[in-house]
Amino acid sequence: MMLSFVSQCKLLGGYKYRDCVQSDIFKLNVVSSPSTRNWLPSLWKETFEELLDDDNELDHGDQWTLNFSYTQGNTLTTEERKRGWKTFCHLAFGNLKCPSCSKVWSSAKVTVLFRYRLRGERGVVIMRPFGQACRSCHDDTYARPGFSEEEVERALLRLCAKIRKNCYGEMDDNDVGGEPPHSKNNSKPHESDLCEACSQGICRVKEE
């Protein structure tokens, strides 16, 4: 029996139904697999919205949005601090694919940078994922990381904990989700010369 398009969508484990509705290309929508190697901003935005709407992670009546910047750093100017901006770096497990030779690899040491602020009743988060260069190509081209749903949720839960502490004054900052277990058990040395975050002096690995 031929399954309908919607039924095929629902059969995919952890798959978001509305992703099927929003996209005309079914095969590009399998975003929940741990082997995902593509950078998917929509997965981050959707997970963030679900944490706010369904799980009430920031239940203060304010409107929060998540955006992306691929050039921002973690240094805040005096003027930015006056305007309420804060930063948070998270170490995540990511999957990467070289845009030149198509080599694939995984890393437990991918730095993700968030800038955030609350002004009035509007909160803004700006995120930047840092990439890694291919060990084989050495062409200074950074592959942008992809992340599983679990990794995305873990990072955003930690972000929400920081926001509750620094924007709403909540004292219990218990870093819900914690660091991924991969980061503590991974014995491979971090190759700083291949890390985009290291090249800008803001790699989270250096803080561990």
Side-chain angles (χ1 to χ4, degrees):
M1 181 179 66
M2 178 69 70
L3 292 175
S4 69
F5 177 72
V6 171
S7 296
Q8 293 180 60
C9 291
K10 291 181 177 179
L11 282 177
L12 291 172
Y15 191 70
K16 299 292 188 294
Y17 164 73
R18 62 171 172 267
D19 279 348
C20 294
V21 177
Q22 291 172 349
S23 175
D24 294 326
I25 306 177
F26 174 78
K27 66 180 181 180
L28 293 182
N29 279 325
V30 184
V31 299
S32 62
S33 169
S35 62
T36 297
R37 301 189 186 281
N38 296 322
W39 163 240
L40 296 168
S42 61
L43 176 58
W44 288 85
K45 290 179 73 73
E46 181 177 294
T47 304
F48 187 65
E49 290 168 2
E50 288 181 353
L51 290 176
L52 300 185
D53 297 339
D54 299 336
D55 298 335
N56 296 317
E57 282 296 319
L58 298 177
D59 189 19
H60 290 268
D62 299 318
Q63 181 179 355
W64 282 87
T65 58
L66 173 65
N67 300 300
F68 305 90
S69 168
Y70 304 108
T71 59
Q72 72 177 357
N74 71 334
T75 301
L76 296 173
T77 66
T78 300
E79 184 59 30
E80 287 173 327
R81 293 183 183 280
K82 287 181 179 179
R83 287 183 289 170
W85 287 104
K86 298 172 179 63
T87 63
F88 165 56
C89 282
H90 174 73
L91 198 62
F93 184 90
N95 303 290
L96 304 100
K97 180 177 180 179
C98 177
S100 300
C101 71
S102 296
K103 176 182 177 181
V104 295
W105 70 95
S106 298
S107 173
K109 299 167 183 175
V110 175
T111 295
V112 179
L113 171 66
F114 298 98
R115 283 189 180 214
Y116 61 94
R117 77 168 179 181
L118 176 65
R119 199 166 193 178
E121 297 181 351
R122 302 182 68 87
V124 177
V125 176
I126 304 176
M127 174 188 167
R128 177 183 180 180
F130 286 89
Q132 294 180 4
C134 177
R135 185 188 302 168
S136 302
C137 292
H138 294 290
D139 59 1
D140 296 324
T141 299
Y142 295 110
R144 199 165 285 163
F147 303 91
S148 69
E149 281 191 355
E150 293 76 13
E151 234 18 75
V152 171
E153 183 173 346
R154 181 181 291 110
L156 291 177
L157 282 172
R158 294 198 69 210
L159 170 68
C160 288
K162 296 295 183 183
I163 290 175
R164 289 196 302 270
K165 177 182 178 181
N166 296 320
C167 294
Y168 295 108
E170 295 186 15
M171 298 303 295
D172 183 21
D173 179 17
N174 57 8
D175 267 359
V176 176
E179 292 288 5
H182 331 284
S183 66
K184 295 183 175 69
N185 299 326
N186 189 290
S187 59
K188 293 181 180 179
H190 184 56
E191 300 185 61
S192 297
D193 58 330
L194 302 177
C195 174
E196 183 181 20
C198 281
S199 72
Q200 300 189 20
I202 58 175
C203 184
R204 266 299 314 271
V205 177
K206 296 178 180 180
E207 301 175 14
E208 299 303 307

